[in-house]
Each structure stands twice: as structure tokens, then as C-alpha cells.
Amino acid sequence: MELSAFYPLIATEVIGCPIPVIESVVRLTATEFCRESLSWVEPTTVSLVAGTSGYGLTLPTDAMLLTVRDASISGLLLRPATHEQLVGMGESQEPWFFNLASDRTQVTFAPTPSKTGVSVILRAIYTPTPTAQTLPDFLWTHYAEAIASGAKSKLMLMPEVAWNSPSYAAYHRTVFDAAIGQARIYEAHGRVPGSLRVKPVQFGY
């Protein structure tokens, strides 16, 4: 989805704001939404090679890797570990642990695989890049108004501009924050309807 698709949802409430400014703020808002909600999740497969512990990931267009939510082999979850914990683990046919490099460019598995061809399924979490011209379609389909509200909030807090409006900025920020919370719960709940609240257990009658 092109970044420009969001402009009409914003421009009518920030009359006079230049399009390049709106574009920049939409990008920042979408990045904040993805970072806080952890909602841009996509699976990717890594095919292990014997003797190789580190693997770069192929990223979606205009995406930056934030973190890896989980990794699994044949449905069994690998455990996250620090780089220090991975040192000296030797080799094994299938690794048990994974670590995301601090520069977020590759994933390391340990023990180092001793067998080629084993597939690891990663669920990676992304944010837009600082120069992104496109955004994932789900942001438009499910969160267009929330992204627009977040952008309007930022724009309306700009000092000494014709579209400055702190009261409306506060309202739009509330809408945006609520959408982040809902999206985070939705993701944590496996993208199915329902609530994360636990039904209280009654003891006695």
C-alpha cells in the first residue's frame, strides 16, 4: 500500500500542511504503531547448512527487522538465548537455541547445525524503514483510521503552524493509543476474536 493512500484521511484536518510533512509523519506514525503493537508479523523459512550458525533474513519490501517472535523446527519451539549463552555449544543435527544479532541483520542458531536441509520457521516482527514509500496492506485494511489519527495528533502538536490544535491532538492520540492496545492483544491472542482475560474460577457453591 502506497504511503500516499493515507493523505486524504489527514489533509482535511491539517489545512495548509505540506504533503512532504504529512508523508514524513505518516511514516513515523506507522513505525510507532508497528513497534508498539508488534503487529507486522510474517513467517520466513531458514534452511540450515551444516557448519553454519548465522543466517541473514530476506526482508519484506520497505521493512526493517525489529525482532524474532519465535523459531521452530517441525513444530517444536527453539529457546531464545543471549550471544554469551550460545558460545561453546558445539554442534548438533538440530539447534535448540536462537539469538538475533544486535544489528538485527542475522539470526544465530546453537548448537551449530551439523546437518544440511533442516528448515527453521521464524516469525519475524518488522517496522517500516526510515525511507519507506510503501506500508503493509494490513495497516490500511485494519488500521487506516488509527494511523491517520496518530499522524494528525503529531501534526496538530506542531508549534506555530496554522493547523496547531492541542485539544484535537489529544483526542486523536487517544484513538491511536487505543488501536495500538487492541492490535497488541489481537496479535497476542493468535489473531482470533476473543479476550485475553481469564474467566474467574468459582470455589464452592
Side-chain angles (χ1 to χ4, degrees), residues 131-145:
T131 58
Q133 291 300 313
T134 60
L135 296 173
D137 288 345
F138 83 91
L139 286 183
W140 174 262
T141 304
H142 300 292
Y143 303 111
E145 291 186 4

Side-chain angles (χ1 to χ4, degrees), residues 51-111:
T52 302
S53 58
Y55 298 81
L57 301 182
T58 300
L59 306 183
T61 301
D62 284 340
M64 189 165 58
L65 183 62
L66 178 65
T67 188
V68 172
R69 172 172 285 182
D70 55 55
S72 63
I73 296 176
S74 301
L76 299 177
L77 289 175
L78 279 64
R79 295 167 59 185
T82 66
H83 176 72
E84 290 74 16
Q85 291 172 326
L86 301 186
V87 175
M89 283 193 177
E91 292 191 356
S92 174
Q93 283 198 356
E94 295 182 0
W96 314 320
F97 302 92
F98 74 95
N99 170 267
L100 179 63
S102 57
D103 61 1
R104 295 184 173 89
T105 60
Q106 69 172 11
V107 177
T108 300
F109 299 101

Side-chain angles (χ1 to χ4, degrees), residues 39-51:
S39 58
W40 188 357
V41 183
E42 296 191 23
T44 185
T45 301
V46 174
S47 184
L48 300 181
V49 177

Side-chain angles (χ1 to χ4, degrees), residues 2-14:
E2 296 292 328
L3 218 65
S4 57
F6 289 85
Y7 301 169
L9 301 179
I10 299 166
T12 55
E13 291 191 47
V14 288

